[in-house]
Amino acid sequence: MESFKNIEQSQVTISELMLPSHTNFSGKIHGGYILSLMDQIAFACASKHSSNYCVTASVDTVDFLRPIEVGELVVMKASVNFVGRTSMVVGIRVESEDIHSGIIKHCNSSYFTMVAKDDKGKSVPVPGLILKTEKQVRRFLKSLNRQEMKKNHRQETSKKEELKIEDLEILRNSHKVQLEY
């Protein structure tokens, strides 16, 4: 019998104070550090849902909307938005709070596709999702659409295409490139 879980059963929230050791050369919190935290929370969320070890299969668009400053409290919220047979899409929202003023800013949202694995590293089925709200249904459908677009993109990019003269002319006239081949 197939099992199902409520989305709330696997939701995870983490908070961390941003320290000077987390900065890049311009004094803002390093994007790579934020990505590392996002990967950790995606792992925790997917592992809670699947009750298995999980690996990151892909990361959809990561747009750094606003910089995060030293001394701000970063809060990340993760939720399983979609499940396939062995994979899950974990939605992550990143916010930072200026703890002096209380101002909260949305810094990033992203989607991590995670795959459940057994002890031998073989992909294993994951429980289904119980969708209780319109928002949960919308998130599931959006994830389904993103999965389809990624599948189509993979198929398109795997095709070998011949270069056309028109393409080269577009490059020469409309882009900042110099062709030397």
Side-chain angles (χ1 to χ4, degrees):
M1 185 169 153
E2 193 169 12
S3 65
F4 291 84
K5 284 188 173 179
N6 290 313
I7 288 174
E8 296 80 13
Q9 289 177 271
S10 57
Q11 288 177 325
V12 177
T13 301
I14 62 170
S15 350
E16 185 171 329
L17 186 64
M18 293 296 104
L19 303 175
S21 60
H22 303 140
T23 60
N24 59 24
F25 292 110
S26 66
K28 307 296 182 193
I29 300 305
H30 196 286
Y33 183 72
I34 298 300
L35 282 171
S36 173
L37 291 176
M38 292 171 75
D39 192 51
Q40 289 174 40
I41 195 171
F43 167 81
C45 183
S47 295
K48 276 182 78 172
H49 181 78
S50 67
S51 299
N52 283 285
Y53 178 79
C54 293
V55 297
T56 306
S58 70
V59 180
D60 284 0
T61 306
V62 178
D63 291 322
F64 294 99
L65 305 173
R66 292 182 182 84
I68 300 171
E69 307 289 339
V70 171
E72 291 184 334
L73 183 66
V74 167
V75 177
M76 294 188 184
K77 299 172 185 173
S79 183
V80 175
N81 290 350
F82 173 85
V83 294
R85 195 178 74 73
T86 63
S87 66
M88 298 148 280
V89 173
V90 176
I92 302 170
R93 181 177 175 92
V94 179
E95 297 175 338
S96 69
E97 179 181 356
D98 180 319
I99 55 178
H100 299 294
S101 68
I103 294 173
I104 296 172
K105 56 187 176 183
H106 176 212
C107 299
N108 187 323
S109 289
S110 191
Y111 304 94
F112 280 57
T113 301
M114 308 297 289
V115 178
K117 301 286 186 173
D118 65 14
D119 295 337
K120 295 180 176 94
K122 192 161 176 69
S123 298
V124 294
V126 299
L129 278 180
I130 299 169
L131 305 176
K132 296 182 189 176
T133 67
E134 188 177 316
K135 185 179 193 179
Q136 291 173 346
V137 171
R138 264 196 322 274
R139 285 180 175 171
F140 189 94
L141 290 171
K142 280 184 178 181
S143 291
L144 181 61
N145 289 337
R146 273 193 307 278
Q147 295 294 95
E148 279 299 310
M149 286 190 314
K150 281 170 45 175
K151 180 180 168 187
N152 293 338
H153 178 71
R154 278 193 302 270
Q155 289 171 346
E156 283 298 312
T157 56
S158 67
K159 293 178 187 175
K160 181 147 173 82
E161 293 185 25
E162 300 231 356
L163 246 115
K164 299 177 194 135
I165 298 296
E166 303 85 48
D167 294 333
L168 295 175
E169 287 305 311
I170 290 171
L171 284 177
R172 281 190 187 97
N173 298 326
S174 303
H175 298 281
K176 194 173 183 176
V177 296
Q178 182 175 325
L179 301 173
E180 295 184 351
Y181 72 96

